Amino acid sequence: HLTGLVYKDFRVTPNVDGVCHVVEPFKIPKNWPRVQVIDPHPRVPWAVIWVAVDEGDDWWVYDYMWEEGRTVEELAYCFKAREEEHGVSPVLRISDPYAGNEDNFEIRNDSIRARLGRLGIRVALSSNDPDTRMFALREALRKSPVTGRPRLNVFSNMAEPIYQMTHHTWKEWVRPTGGRDIRQQRSEKNSHFVACYEYLSLENPTHLALQDIGRIVKWTGEQSVTRM
C-alpha cells in the first residue's frame, strides 16, 4: 500500500520503531504558540492548518480548513472566527508564495497576501523549491533521538490532512528536454495539505522564536507578523 507514495515514512499506525505521526487530540496548553499555514488556490479549495509548538519544538497540527467558493475576505473572517473558538491566535502565518502574485483572481496589481494584510492577517511567503521543501519535511518525520518521537504530529481528527499525506504519489518517470537526466515528478492530486506540512517544516518554527514574535504582536497590536 506504500507503493508510489512520496512520504512513505508518514505513519498513521506505529512502525517497528514505534513511530507514529497521528495522535489522539488533547487540550493544548495556552502557552504553546500557534502557527497557521495556508496553501491558497483560485480553482480548488484552500488548504489551511493550525499548528501548536511545544517547549521541545515539536509541532502539533490541531485544526484545519478545506474551503472553496469563498472570497479572500470571507476566508479571513473564517480564520478569525475559528481562532476565536480556540481562544488563541497564531503569531506566525506562512503561505504558498503564490499568495504574493499580483494577478490573483484576475485582479491586477493586487495579491492574496495584500488583501489578507489589509484585514490584519499578515503572512510570510515560503519557498517554492520542491526539493528543499521535501527534504525539510522528511527531516520532520524522523524520530528524534531526544524525544523519541517525530517533530510533526497530527491529531487523528484531521481527516483531510491525513488522507492527502497518505495518498500523495509520484507521477510516472518523465525525461526533461535537453537530454538531461530523467526526473520524477509529483502528482498534483492530494498535494495541498502536503504543501502545508512542507512550508511548516521549511520555516522550522521554534517555541522560543515564536514567543519572541508573540511579544512583538502584543506590543504592535497586529494579528500576526511575517518573521523575526
Side-chain angles (χ1 to χ4, degrees), residues 149-203:
R149 62 173 179 262
R151 289 194 71 186
L152 179 66
N153 304 275
V154 184
F155 280 10
S156 60
N157 55 358
M158 304 293 100
E160 189 65 29
I162 293 171
Y163 179 88
Q164 291 195 14
M165 193 66 173
T166 56
H167 290 78
H168 180 50
T169 59
W170 294 102
K171 288 183 179 178
E172 296 296 327
W173 287 93
V174 295
R175 184 180 294 278
T177 59
R180 292 176 294 176
D181 292 338
I182 293 174
R183 179 183 179 87
Q184 197 171 18
Q185 297 179 350
R186 294 194 276 172
S187 172
E188 289 295 322
K189 189 175 182 181
N190 298 314
S191 65
H192 305 298
F193 280 106
V194 174
C196 288
Y197 295 141
E198 291 175 345
Y199 299 141
L200 174 71
S201 303
L202 194 59
E203 191 68 24

Short mmCIF file of all heavy atoms in Angstrom, two decimals, residues 149-203:
data_model
loop_
_atom_site.label_atom_id
_atom_site.label_comp_id
_atom_site.label_asym_id
_atom_site.label_seq_id
_atom_site.Cartn_x
_atom_site.Cartn_y
_atom_site.Cartn_z
N ARG A 149 10.15 10.78 19.42
CA ARG A 149 9.01 10.93 18.51
C ARG A 149 9.38 11.92 17.41
O ARG A 149 10.35 12.67 17.54
CB ARG A 149 7.77 11.43 19.27
CG ARG A 149 7.92 12.79 19.92
CD ARG A 149 6.61 13.29 20.50
NE ARG A 149 6.77 14.58 21.14
CZ ARG A 149 6.95 14.77 22.44
NH1 ARG A 149 6.97 13.72 23.25
NH2 ARG A 149 7.11 15.98 22.93
N PRO A 150 8.62 11.95 16.34
CA PRO A 150 8.91 12.91 15.27
C PRO A 150 8.49 14.32 15.66
O PRO A 150 7.71 14.51 16.60
CB PRO A 150 8.05 12.39 14.10
CG PRO A 150 6.91 11.70 14.77
CD PRO A 150 7.49 11.07 16.01
N ARG A 151 8.99 15.32 14.92
CA ARG A 151 8.58 16.70 15.20
C ARG A 151 7.16 16.95 14.74
O ARG A 151 6.42 17.70 15.37
CB ARG A 151 9.53 17.68 14.50
CG ARG A 151 10.92 17.75 15.11
CD ARG A 151 11.65 18.97 14.60
NE ARG A 151 11.11 20.21 15.15
CZ ARG A 151 11.51 21.42 14.78
NH1 ARG A 151 12.43 21.55 13.84
NH2 ARG A 151 10.97 22.50 15.32
N LEU A 152 6.76 16.35 13.61
CA LEU A 152 5.42 16.58 13.07
C LEU A 152 4.45 15.56 13.66
O LEU A 152 4.61 14.35 13.49
CB LEU A 152 5.42 16.46 11.55
CG LEU A 152 4.06 16.67 10.89
CD1 LEU A 152 3.57 18.10 11.08
CD2 LEU A 152 4.11 16.33 9.41
N ASN A 153 3.41 16.06 14.32
CA ASN A 153 2.38 15.22 14.91
C ASN A 153 1.02 15.79 14.52
O ASN A 153 0.81 17.00 14.60
CB ASN A 153 2.51 15.20 16.44
CG ASN A 153 3.89 14.75 16.89
OD1 ASN A 153 4.15 13.57 17.01
ND2 ASN A 153 4.78 15.70 17.13
N VAL A 154 0.11 14.92 14.10
CA VAL A 154 -1.18 15.36 13.57
C VAL A 154 -2.30 14.72 14.38
O VAL A 154 -2.31 13.50 14.59
CB VAL A 154 -1.33 14.97 12.08
CG1 VAL A 154 -2.63 15.51 11.51
CG2 VAL A 154 -0.13 15.45 11.28
N PHE A 155 -3.25 15.54 14.85
CA PHE A 155 -4.39 14.99 15.58
C PHE A 155 -5.21 14.06 14.67
O PHE A 155 -5.38 14.34 13.48
CB PHE A 155 -5.28 16.12 16.10
CG PHE A 155 -4.79 16.78 17.36
CD1 PHE A 155 -3.52 16.53 17.86
CD2 PHE A 155 -5.59 17.68 18.05
CE1 PHE A 155 -3.06 17.14 19.02
CE2 PHE A 155 -5.16 18.30 19.22
CZ PHE A 155 -3.88 18.03 19.70
N SER A 156 -5.73 13.01 15.25
CA SER A 156 -6.41 11.97 14.47
C SER A 156 -7.70 12.44 13.83
O SER A 156 -8.21 11.78 12.91
CB SER A 156 -6.69 10.75 15.36
OG SER A 156 -7.52 11.09 16.45
N ASN A 157 -8.26 13.56 14.29
CA ASN A 157 -9.50 14.07 13.67
C ASN A 157 -9.22 15.03 12.51
O ASN A 157 -10.14 15.65 11.98
CB ASN A 157 -10.38 14.76 14.72
CG ASN A 157 -9.67 15.86 15.48
OD1 ASN A 157 -8.48 16.10 15.28
ND2 ASN A 157 -10.39 16.53 16.36
N MET A 158 -7.98 15.12 12.08
CA MET A 158 -7.60 15.93 10.92
C MET A 158 -7.73 15.08 9.65
O MET A 158 -6.74 14.67 9.04
CB MET A 158 -6.17 16.46 11.05
CG MET A 158 -5.90 17.27 12.31
SD MET A 158 -6.79 18.85 12.37
CE MET A 158 -8.17 18.42 13.44
N ALA A 159 -8.97 14.77 9.27
CA ALA A 159 -9.24 13.77 8.24
C ALA A 159 -8.57 14.08 6.90
O ALA A 159 -7.82 13.25 6.36
CB ALA A 159 -10.75 13.60 8.06
N GLU A 160 -8.85 15.24 6.34
CA GLU A 160 -8.32 15.55 5.01
C GLU A 160 -6.80 15.72 5.01
O GLU A 160 -6.12 15.20 4.10
CB GLU A 160 -8.99 16.80 4.45
CG GLU A 160 -8.68 17.08 2.99
CD GLU A 160 -9.20 16.02 2.04
OE1 GLU A 160 -10.24 15.40 2.36
OE2 GLU A 160 -8.61 15.83 0.96
N PRO A 161 -6.20 16.41 5.99
CA PRO A 161 -4.74 16.49 6.01
C PRO A 161 -4.06 15.12 6.11
O PRO A 161 -3.00 14.92 5.51
CB PRO A 161 -4.45 17.34 7.26
CG PRO A 161 -5.66 18.20 7.40
CD PRO A 161 -6.81 17.30 7.01
N ILE A 162 -4.66 14.20 6.86
CA ILE A 162 -4.08 12.86 6.96
C ILE A 162 -4.28 12.10 5.66
O ILE A 162 -3.35 11.44 5.14
CB ILE A 162 -4.71 12.08 8.14
CG1 ILE A 162 -4.31 12.71 9.46
CG2 ILE A 162 -4.31 10.60 8.10
CD1 ILE A 162 -5.04 12.15 10.66
N TYR A 163 -5.47 12.21 5.08
CA TYR A 163 -5.76 11.50 3.83
C TYR A 163 -4.79 11.91 2.73
O TYR A 163 -4.24 11.05 2.01
CB TYR A 163 -7.20 11.77 3.39
CG TYR A 163 -7.55 11.07 2.10
CD1 TYR A 163 -8.05 9.77 2.10
CD2 TYR A 163 -7.37 11.71 0.87
CE1 TYR A 163 -8.36 9.12 0.90
CE2 TYR A 163 -7.68 11.07 -0.33
CZ TYR A 163 -8.17 9.78 -0.30
OH TYR A 163 -8.45 9.14 -1.49
N GLN A 164 -4.57 13.21 2.58
CA GLN A 164 -3.71 13.66 1.49
C GLN A 164 -2.27 13.20 1.70
O GLN A 164 -1.58 12.84 0.74
CB GLN A 164 -3.80 15.19 1.35
CG GLN A 164 -5.15 15.66 0.85
CD GLN A 164 -5.15 17.09 0.36
OE1 GLN A 164 -4.10 17.69 0.14
NE2 GLN A 164 -6.34 17.65 0.18
N MET A 165 -1.82 13.22 2.94
CA MET A 165 -0.45 12.78 3.21
C MET A 165 -0.26 11.31 2.88
O MET A 165 0.82 10.89 2.46
CB MET A 165 -0.11 13.05 4.68
CG MET A 165 1.35 12.93 5.01
SD MET A 165 2.36 14.19 4.21
CE MET A 165 3.94 13.85 5.00
N THR A 166 -1.30 10.51 3.05
CA THR A 166 -1.21 9.07 2.80
C THR A 166 -1.63 8.69 1.39
O THR A 166 -1.68 7.50 1.06
CB THR A 166 -2.06 8.29 3.82
OG1 THR A 166 -3.42 8.76 3.76
CG2 THR A 166 -1.53 8.47 5.23
N HIS A 167 -1.94 9.69 0.55
CA HIS A 167 -2.34 9.42 -0.83
C HIS A 167 -1.61 10.31 -1.84
O HIS A 167 -2.01 10.36 -3.01
CB HIS A 167 -3.86 9.59 -0.99
CG HIS A 167 -4.66 8.54 -0.30
ND1 HIS A 167 -4.89 8.55 1.06
CD2 HIS A 167 -5.28 7.43 -0.78
CE1 HIS A 167 -5.62 7.50 1.39
NE2 HIS A 167 -5.86 6.80 0.31
N HIS A 168 -0.59 10.99 -1.40
CA HIS A 168 0.20 11.84 -2.31
C HIS A 168 1.27 10.99 -2.98
O HIS A 168 2.14 10.44 -2.30
CB HIS A 168 0.83 12.99 -1.52
CG HIS A 168 1.64 13.93 -2.35
ND1 HIS A 168 1.18 14.50 -3.51
CD2 HIS A 168 2.90 14.41 -2.18
CE1 HIS A 168 2.10 15.28 -4.03
NE2 HIS A 168 3.15 15.24 -3.24
N THR A 169 1.22 10.89 -4.30
CA THR A 169 2.06 9.92 -5.02
C THR A 169 2.93 10.59 -6.08
O THR A 169 2.74 11.75 -6.44
CB THR A 169 1.18 8.87 -5.71
OG1 THR A 169 0.28 9.53 -6.63
CG2 THR A 169 0.37 8.08 -4.69
N TRP A 170 3.87 9.80 -6.58
CA TRP A 170 4.71 10.22 -7.69
C TRP A 170 3.98 10.01 -9.01
O TRP A 170 3.18 9.09 -9.16
CB TRP A 170 6.00 9.41 -7.73
CG TRP A 170 6.93 9.63 -6.57
CD1 TRP A 170 7.11 8.81 -5.50
CD2 TRP A 170 7.82 10.72 -6.39
NE1 TRP A 170 8.05 9.33 -4.65
CE2 TRP A 170 8.51 10.50 -5.18
CE3 TRP A 170 8.11 11.86 -7.14
CZ2 TRP A 170 9.46 11.39 -4.70
CZ3 TRP A 170 9.07 12.75 -6.66
CH2 TRP A 170 9.73 12.51 -5.45
N LYS A 171 4.31 10.86 -9.99
CA LYS A 171 3.87 10.62 -11.36
C LYS A 171 4.80 9.59 -12.00
O LYS A 171 5.79 9.16 -11.40
CB LYS A 171 3.96 11.92 -12.18
CG LYS A 171 2.92 12.96 -11.84
CD LYS A 171 3.08 14.15 -12.79
CE LYS A 171 2.06 15.23 -12.52
NZ LYS A 171 2.26 16.40 -13.42
N GLU A 172 4.47 9.21 -13.22
CA GLU A 172 5.37 8.34 -13.96
C GLU A 172 6.66 9.09 -14.26
O GLU A 172 6.69 10.32 -14.33
CB GLU A 172 4.71 7.90 -15.27
CG GLU A 172 3.46 7.06 -15.08
CD GLU A 172 3.75 5.73 -14.39
OE1 GLU A 172 4.84 5.18 -14.61
OE2 GLU A 172 2.90 5.27 -13.61
N TRP A 173 7.73 8.34 -14.48
CA TRP A 173 9.00 8.96 -14.83
C TRP A 173 8.87 9.70 -16.15
O TRP A 173 8.22 9.25 -17.08
CB TRP A 173 10.09 7.90 -14.97
CG TRP A 173 10.54 7.34 -13.65
CD1 TRP A 173 10.06 6.24 -13.01
CD2 TRP A 173 11.55 7.88 -12.80
NE1 TRP A 173 10.70 6.05 -11.82
CE2 TRP A 173 11.63 7.04 -11.66
CE3 TRP A 173 12.39 8.98 -12.88
CZ2 TRP A 173 12.52 7.26 -10.64
CZ3 TRP A 173 13.29 9.20 -11.85
CH2 TRP A 173 13.35 8.36 -10.74
N VAL A 174 9.48 10.90 -16.23
CA VAL A 174 9.48 11.68 -17.47
C VAL A 174 10.90 12.12 -17.78
O VAL A 174 11.73 12.27 -16.88
CB VAL A 174 8.57 12.93 -17.34
CG1 VAL A 174 7.13 12.52 -17.16
CG2 VAL A 174 9.01 13.83 -16.20
N ARG A 175 11.19 12.29 -19.09
CA ARG A 175 12.52 12.75 -19.49
C ARG A 175 12.45 14.23 -19.85
O ARG A 175 11.70 14.61 -20.75
CB ARG A 175 13.03 11.95 -20.69
CG ARG A 175 14.45 12.34 -21.10
CD ARG A 175 14.91 11.52 -22.28
NE ARG A 175 15.04 10.12 -21.92
CZ ARG A 175 16.09 9.60 -21.30
NH1 ARG A 175 17.09 10.39 -20.94
NH2 ARG A 175 16.13 8.32 -21.01
N PRO A 176 13.20 15.07 -19.16
CA PRO A 176 13.17 16.50 -19.47
C PRO A 176 13.78 16.80 -20.83
O PRO A 176 14.49 15.96 -21.39
CB PRO A 176 14.00 17.13 -18.34
CG PRO A 176 14.47 16.04 -17.48
CD PRO A 176 14.08 14.73 -18.08
N THR A 177 13.50 17.98 -21.34
CA THR A 177 14.09 18.39 -22.61
C THR A 177 15.57 18.66 -22.43
O THR A 177 16.06 18.91 -21.33
CB THR A 177 13.40 19.66 -23.11
OG1 THR A 177 13.55 20.69 -22.13
CG2 THR A 177 11.93 19.41 -23.39
N GLY A 178 16.30 18.62 -23.54
CA GLY A 178 17.73 18.93 -23.49
C GLY A 178 18.60 17.74 -23.17
O GLY A 178 19.80 17.89 -22.97
N GLY A 179 18.02 16.53 -23.11
CA GLY A 179 18.82 15.34 -22.88
C GLY A 179 19.36 15.19 -21.48
O GLY A 179 20.30 14.44 -21.24
N ARG A 180 18.78 15.92 -20.53
CA ARG A 180 19.25 15.81 -19.15
C ARG A 180 18.72 14.53 -18.51
O ARG A 180 17.96 13.79 -19.12
CB ARG A 180 18.80 17.03 -18.35
CG ARG A 180 19.48 18.32 -18.78
CD ARG A 180 18.91 19.52 -18.03
NE ARG A 180 17.52 19.75 -18.39
CZ ARG A 180 16.77 20.68 -17.83
NH1 ARG A 180 17.25 21.41 -16.84
NH2 ARG A 180 15.51 20.84 -18.22
N ASP A 181 19.14 14.30 -17.27
CA ASP A 181 18.74 13.08 -16.58
C ASP A 181 17.23 13.03 -16.38
O ASP A 181 16.57 14.05 -16.26
CB ASP A 181 19.44 12.99 -15.21
CG ASP A 181 20.93 12.77 -15.35
OD1 ASP A 181 21.35 12.28 -16.41
OD2 ASP A 181 21.65 13.11 -14.40
N ILE A 182 16.71 11.82 -16.30
CA ILE A 182 15.29 11.63 -16.03
C ILE A 182 14.98 12.16 -14.62
O ILE A 182 15.72 11.94 -13.68
CB ILE A 182 14.92 10.14 -16.13
CG1 ILE A 182 15.06 9.66 -17.58
CG2 ILE A 182 13.50 9.89 -15.64
CD1 ILE A 182 14.85 8.18 -17.75
N ARG A 183 13.86 12.84 -14.52
CA ARG A 183 13.46 13.41 -13.24
C ARG A 183 12.04 12.97 -12.92
O ARG A 183 11.14 13.10 -13.75
CB ARG A 183 13.53 14.94 -13.27
CG ARG A 183 13.09 15.61 -11.97
CD ARG A 183 13.12 17.11 -12.12
NE ARG A 183 12.70 17.77 -10.89
CZ ARG A 183 13.50 18.08 -9.89
NH1 ARG A 183 14.79 17.77 -9.98
NH2 ARG A 183 13.05 18.67 -8.81
N GLN A 184 11.83 12.46 -11.72
CA GLN A 184 10.50 12.05 -11.31
C GLN A 184 9.74 13.25 -10.75
O GLN A 184 10.30 14.06 -10.02
CB GLN A 184 10.57 10.95 -10.26
CG GLN A 184 9.27 10.19 -10.08
CD GLN A 184 9.42 8.98 -9.20
OE1 GLN A 184 10.39 8.87 -8.46
NE2 GLN A 184 8.48 8.07 -9.26
N GLN A 185 8.47 13.35 -11.11
CA GLN A 185 7.64 14.45 -10.67
C GLN A 185 6.52 13.95 -9.78
O GLN A 185 6.10 12.80 -9.87
CB GLN A 185 7.05 15.20 -11.87
CG GLN A 185 8.11 15.84 -12.75
CD GLN A 185 7.50 16.55 -13.94
OE1 GLN A 185 6.31 16.42 -14.22
NE2 GLN A 185 8.30 17.31 -14.66
N ARG A 186 6.01 14.87 -8.94
CA ARG A 186 4.93 14.51 -8.03
C ARG A 186 3.57 14.85 -8.63
O ARG A 186 3.44 15.81 -9.39
CB ARG A 186 5.10 15.23 -6.70
CG ARG A 186 6.33 14.79 -5.94
CD ARG A 186 6.26 15.28 -4.51
NE ARG A 186 6.74 16.65 -4.37
CZ ARG A 186 6.65 17.35 -3.25
NH1 ARG A 186 6.04 16.82 -2.19
NH2 ARG A 186 7.10 18.57 -3.18
N SER A 187 2.58 14.07 -8.25
CA SER A 187 1.21 14.34 -8.70
C SER A 187 0.67 15.58 -8.00
O SER A 187 0.98 15.85 -6.84
CB SER A 187 0.33 13.13 -8.40
OG SER A 187 -1.03 13.42 -8.65
N GLU A 188 -0.17 16.34 -8.71
CA GLU A 188 -0.85 17.48 -8.10
C GLU A 188 -1.98 17.03 -7.18
O GLU A 188 -2.37 17.75 -6.26
CB GLU A 188 -1.42 18.39 -9.19
CG GLU A 188 -0.37 19.16 -9.97
CD GLU A 188 0.37 20.15 -9.12
OE1 GLU A 188 -0.26 20.78 -8.25
OE2 GLU A 188 1.60 20.29 -9.28
N LYS A 189 -2.49 15.84 -7.42
CA LYS A 189 -3.60 15.34 -6.62
C LYS A 189 -3.13 15.07 -5.19
O LYS A 189 -2.05 14.55 -4.96
CB LYS A 189 -4.15 14.05 -7.24
CG LYS A 189 -5.44 13.56 -6.62
CD LYS A 189 -5.98 12.36 -7.37
CE LYS A 189 -7.30 11.88 -6.78
NZ LYS A 189 -7.84 10.70 -7.50
N ASN A 190 -3.98 15.44 -4.23
CA ASN A 190 -3.67 15.22 -2.81
C ASN A 190 -2.35 15.87 -2.38
O ASN A 190 -1.62 15.32 -1.56
CB ASN A 190 -3.64 13.72 -2.49
CG ASN A 190 -4.96 13.05 -2.73
OD1 ASN A 190 -6.00 13.55 -2.33
ND2 ASN A 190 -4.93 11.91 -3.42
N SER A 191 -2.07 17.05 -2.94
CA SER A 191 -0.79 17.69 -2.65
C SER A 191 -0.91 18.93 -1.77
O SER A 191 0.11 19.45 -1.31
CB SER A 191 -0.12 18.11 -3.97
OG SER A 191 -0.88 19.11 -4.63
N HIS A 192 -2.12 19.42 -1.53
CA HIS A 192 -2.25 20.74 -0.92
C HIS A 192 -1.93 20.77 0.58
O HIS A 192 -1.24 21.67 1.05
CB HIS A 192 -3.64 21.29 -1.20
CG HIS A 192 -3.97 21.31 -2.67
ND1 HIS A 192 -3.24 22.06 -3.56
CD2 HIS A 192 -4.88 20.62 -3.42
CE1 HIS A 192 -3.72 21.87 -4.79
NE2 HIS A 192 -4.71 21.00 -4.73
N PHE A 193 -2.43 19.80 1.32
CA PHE A 193 -2.06 19.76 2.74
C PHE A 193 -0.62 19.29 2.90
O PHE A 193 0.05 19.68 3.86
CB PHE A 193 -3.02 18.86 3.53
CG PHE A 193 -4.31 19.55 3.87
CD1 PHE A 193 -5.49 19.23 3.20
CD2 PHE A 193 -4.36 20.55 4.84
CE1 PHE A 193 -6.68 19.88 3.49
CE2 PHE A 193 -5.56 21.21 5.13
CZ PHE A 193 -6.71 20.87 4.45
N VAL A 194 -0.16 18.48 1.97
CA VAL A 194 1.25 18.09 1.97
C VAL A 194 2.13 19.34 1.85
O VAL A 194 3.13 19.48 2.55
CB VAL A 194 1.55 17.10 0.83
CG1 VAL A 194 3.05 16.82 0.74
CG2 VAL A 194 0.79 15.80 1.04
N ALA A 195 1.71 20.25 0.97
CA ALA A 195 2.45 21.51 0.83
C ALA A 195 2.46 22.30 2.14
O ALA A 195 3.48 22.89 2.50
CB ALA A 195 1.83 22.35 -0.29
N CYS A 196 1.34 22.29 2.86
CA CYS A 196 1.30 22.98 4.16
C CYS A 196 2.33 22.39 5.11
O CYS A 196 3.05 23.13 5.81
CB CYS A 196 -0.09 22.87 4.77
SG CYS A 196 -1.37 23.87 3.97
N TYR A 197 2.41 21.07 5.17
CA TYR A 197 3.41 20.43 6.03
C TYR A 197 4.83 20.82 5.60
O TYR A 197 5.71 21.03 6.43
CB TYR A 197 3.29 18.90 5.95
CG TYR A 197 2.02 18.32 6.49
CD1 TYR A 197 1.40 17.25 5.83
CD2 TYR A 197 1.43 18.78 7.66
CE1 TYR A 197 0.24 16.68 6.33
CE2 TYR A 197 0.27 18.22 8.15
CZ TYR A 197 -0.33 17.17 7.48
OH TYR A 197 -1.47 16.60 7.96
N GLU A 198 5.03 20.91 4.29
CA GLU A 198 6.36 21.25 3.78
C GLU A 198 6.73 22.69 4.12
O GLU A 198 7.87 22.96 4.52
CB GLU A 198 6.41 21.04 2.26
CG GLU A 198 6.33 19.57 1.86
CD GLU A 198 6.26 19.37 0.37
OE1 GLU A 198 5.98 20.35 -0.37
OE2 GLU A 198 6.48 18.24 -0.08
N TYR A 199 5.79 23.62 3.96
CA TYR A 199 6.08 25.01 4.30
C TYR A 199 6.38 25.15 5.80
O TYR A 199 7.28 25.89 6.20
CB TYR A 199 4.90 25.92 3.93
CG TYR A 199 4.58 25.93 2.45
CD1 TYR A 199 3.26 25.96 2.01
CD2 TYR A 199 5.59 25.90 1.49
CE1 TYR A 199 2.96 25.97 0.65
CE2 TYR A 199 5.29 25.90 0.15
CZ TYR A 199 3.97 25.94 -0.27
OH TYR A 199 3.68 25.94 -1.61
N LEU A 200 5.63 24.44 6.61
CA LEU A 200 5.88 24.44 8.06
C LEU A 200 7.29 23.94 8.35
O LEU A 200 8.03 24.57 9.12
CB LEU A 200 4.85 23.55 8.77
CG LEU A 200 5.06 23.33 10.26
CD1 LEU A 200 4.76 24.60 11.05
CD2 LEU A 200 4.20 22.16 10.76
N SER A 201 7.66 22.82 7.76
CA SER A 201 8.98 22.23 8.01
C SER A 201 10.10 23.12 7.53
O SER A 201 11.15 23.25 8.18
CB SER A 201 9.07 20.86 7.32
OG SER A 201 8.04 20.00 7.75
N LEU A 202 9.89 23.78 6.40
CA LEU A 202 10.91 24.66 5.84
C LEU A 202 11.09 25.90 6.71
O LEU A 202 12.21 26.36 6.93
CB LEU A 202 10.52 25.06 4.42
CG LEU A 202 11.60 25.71 3.56
CD1 LEU A 202 12.80 24.78 3.40
CD2 LEU A 202 11.02 26.06 2.19
N GLU A 203 9.99 26.44 7.23
CA GLU A 203 10.08 27.61 8.10
C GLU A 203 10.70 27.25 9.45
O GLU A 203 11.34 28.08 10.10
CB GLU A 203 8.69 28.21 8.31
CG GLU A 203 8.67 29.55 8.98
CD GLU A 203 9.26 30.65 8.11
OE1 GLU A 203 9.26 30.50 6.87
OE2 GLU A 203 9.72 31.65 8.68
#
